[in-house]
Amino acid sequence: MTGFPSLRQSHSLSQWTFLWSDCQKWYNERPVNVQQIVDIRGGEADQIDPDHDSSFPILIYTTPMALVANAVYHMISLLLLTHKPRLLKSLPGPRSVTSHIWHAQSIAGIAASNDSPEQWDPIFVASLLTIAKEMTHESQQAVLLERFSRITATTGIKLDRETNALQAVWNLARYEEEFDDEADAMIS
């Protein structure tokens, strides 16, 4: 197979497609006790909770196991989307499921909406750290920093280094955004 790039690409594409389909099948067919009991997204979340200004969905689960299983689904989907083969043009299913940010915000929403000490599985914490740099709004960042603080207080997992690195990334992004805004104003 190493001498035939098209065969290698075809194998890689079919392997990726199999993993994606299997992951989506799990999500669509998951048992009732693993499904969320509340799933509120967008403007509806703001209407239900006026203090909810982070734009994360409200996703509530009955058990920590269900919560972590769904967070792992979203992380696997996000990783698969990040490494989607170039030759793959479109994916079947709802558009939201094929959105990188939908999965990232779902992970953040799961963390922000639930408050069980048992939910802070290391895989879930790692998933939250992975998606955190994608959160560009200050209200989202504040929610995540509060969650990281809660993780440390609840589990003893020290996240100072990680949160400092995140804040540096967020501050740099804000600085670049302000610089771009100033440059645009000078041009106008």
Side-chain angles (χ1 to χ4, degrees), residues 7-80:
L7 283 176
R8 220 176 344 172
Q9 289 174 342
S10 175
H11 178 70
S12 175
L13 182 63
S14 65
Q15 213 174 16
W16 188 96
T17 304
F18 171 77
L19 290 172
W20 177 260
S21 298
D22 205 34
C23 186
Q24 300 315 307
K25 180 180 178 195
W26 176 85
Y27 186 74
N28 292 325
E29 296 177 5
R30 65 205 150 130
V32 172
N33 66 338
V34 181
Q35 295 177 23
Q36 64 275 11
I37 58 171
V38 174
D39 183 343
I40 303 170
R41 297 175 183 272
E44 293 174 344
D46 296 336
Q47 291 173 354
I48 289 174
D49 181 4
D51 296 329
H52 182 266
D53 59 357
S54 67
S55 76
F56 295 143
I58 298 172
L59 300 167
I60 299 176
Y61 295 86
T62 57
T63 66
M65 186 271 310
L67 178 149
V68 172
N70 282 277
V72 168
Y73 155 77
H74 286 293
M75 193 64 213
I76 291 170
S77 294
L78 189 139
L79 290 171
L80 283 168

Side-chain angles (χ1 to χ4, degrees), residues 10-168:
S10 175
H11 178 70
S12 175
L13 182 63
S14 65
Q15 213 174 16
W16 188 96
T17 304
F18 171 77
L19 290 172
W20 177 260
S21 298
D22 205 34
C23 186
Q24 300 315 307
K25 180 180 178 195
W26 176 85
Y27 186 74
N28 292 325
E29 296 177 5
R30 65 205 150 130
V32 172
N33 66 338
V34 181
Q35 295 177 23
Q36 64 275 11
I37 58 171
V38 174
D39 183 343
I40 303 170
R41 297 175 183 272
E44 293 174 344
D46 296 336
Q47 291 173 354
I48 289 174
D49 181 4
D51 296 329
H52 182 266
D53 59 357
S54 67
S55 76
F56 295 143
I58 298 172
L59 300 167
I60 299 176
Y61 295 86
T62 57
T63 66
M65 186 271 310
L67 178 149
V68 172
N70 282 277
V72 168
Y73 155 77
H74 286 293
M75 193 64 213
I76 291 170
S77 294
L78 189 139
L79 290 171
L80 283 168
L81 288 170
T82 302
H83 296 91
K84 184 175 97 172
R86 288 180 314 191
L87 298 176
L88 192 59
K89 298 297 179 219
S90 65
L91 295 170
R95 190 175 179 142
S96 60
V97 173
T98 62
S99 164
H100 176 274
I101 196 68
W102 185 80
H103 290 288
Q105 288 194 343
S106 293
I107 292 168
I110 291 170
S113 304
N114 297 272
D115 205 20
S116 165
E118 295 85 16
Q119 78 188 38
W120 301 122
D121 180 276
I123 292 172
F124 184 35
V125 174
S127 298
L128 197 56
L129 286 166
T130 301
I131 60 95
K133 46 182 125 28
E134 304 295 322
M135 300 305 134
T136 56
H137 197 274
E138 287 183 47
S139 64
Q140 294 173 329
Q141 296 165 359
V143 168
L144 291 176
L145 287 174
E146 185 277 326
R147 292 281 96 184
F148 291 132
S149 186
R150 175 85 44 112
I151 291 167
T152 297
T154 304
T155 67
I157 298 172
K158 303 242 184 275
L159 298 171
D160 296 339
R161 191 181 73 201
E162 290 81 359
T163 55
N164 288 339
L166 274 171
Q167 287 176 314

